[in-house]
Amino acid sequence: MKLPIIKHLNQFIEANDQDYIVETLEVLESLTEIQSLKDEELELIGELISNLYGALEVHKMVKNGMNEKEALNTFMKRVLGSIDK
């Protein structure tokens, strides 16, 4: 996950609508079912999916009253905490 990408996607959601992100996720998840994809391609799609889900989580926190910087930091701490376990 890359924080600058999540931040950019969060700004996209604020300017547009989160439905674009949800629909993009549906397309990318569908693509992962293609049997002929190479490992590198699956990894790239997985990274995109992770960033998109991250942006949705950050957007939810912002929508609930947290400022963007705090939401991004909280999200990344949660991710890093789950990796350390």
Side-chain angles (χ1 to χ4, degrees), residues 12-59:
F12 176 87
I13 293 169
E14 289 175 9
N16 297 283
D17 191 326
Q18 78 176 22
D19 289 342
Y20 289 107
I21 302 299
V22 172
E23 290 169 359
T24 301
L25 281 163
E26 290 172 3
V27 171
L28 290 172
E29 289 171 351
S30 174
L31 286 175
T32 63
E33 298 171 10
I34 298 172
Q35 298 294 321
S36 62
L37 285 179
K38 298 176 185 170
D39 287 343
E40 310 87 56
E41 294 166 328
L42 278 173
E43 287 177 29
L44 177 59
I45 292 170
E47 182 70 20
L48 290 169
I49 289 171
S50 295
N51 287 316
L52 289 163
Y53 274 117
L56 288 174
E57 286 296 315
V58 168
H59 178 69

Side-chain angles (χ1 to χ4, degrees), residues 68-85:
E68 183 182 47
K69 184 176 181 181
E70 186 180 353
L72 288 164
N73 287 334
T74 299
F75 177 74
M76 288 311 288
K77 285 179 187 174
R78 198 169 72 207
V79 169
L80 292 174
S82 69
I83 292 172
D84 290 341
K85 291 183 180 181

Side-chain angles (χ1 to χ4, degrees), residues 1-12 51 55 68 72 76:
M1 284 188 203
K2 298 197 184 267
L3 204 53
I5 293 175
I6 293 172
K7 182 178 179 180
H8 181 83
L9 288 168
N10 183 57
Q11 291 168 352
F12 176 87
N51 287 316
E68 183 182 47
L72 288 164
M76 288 311 288

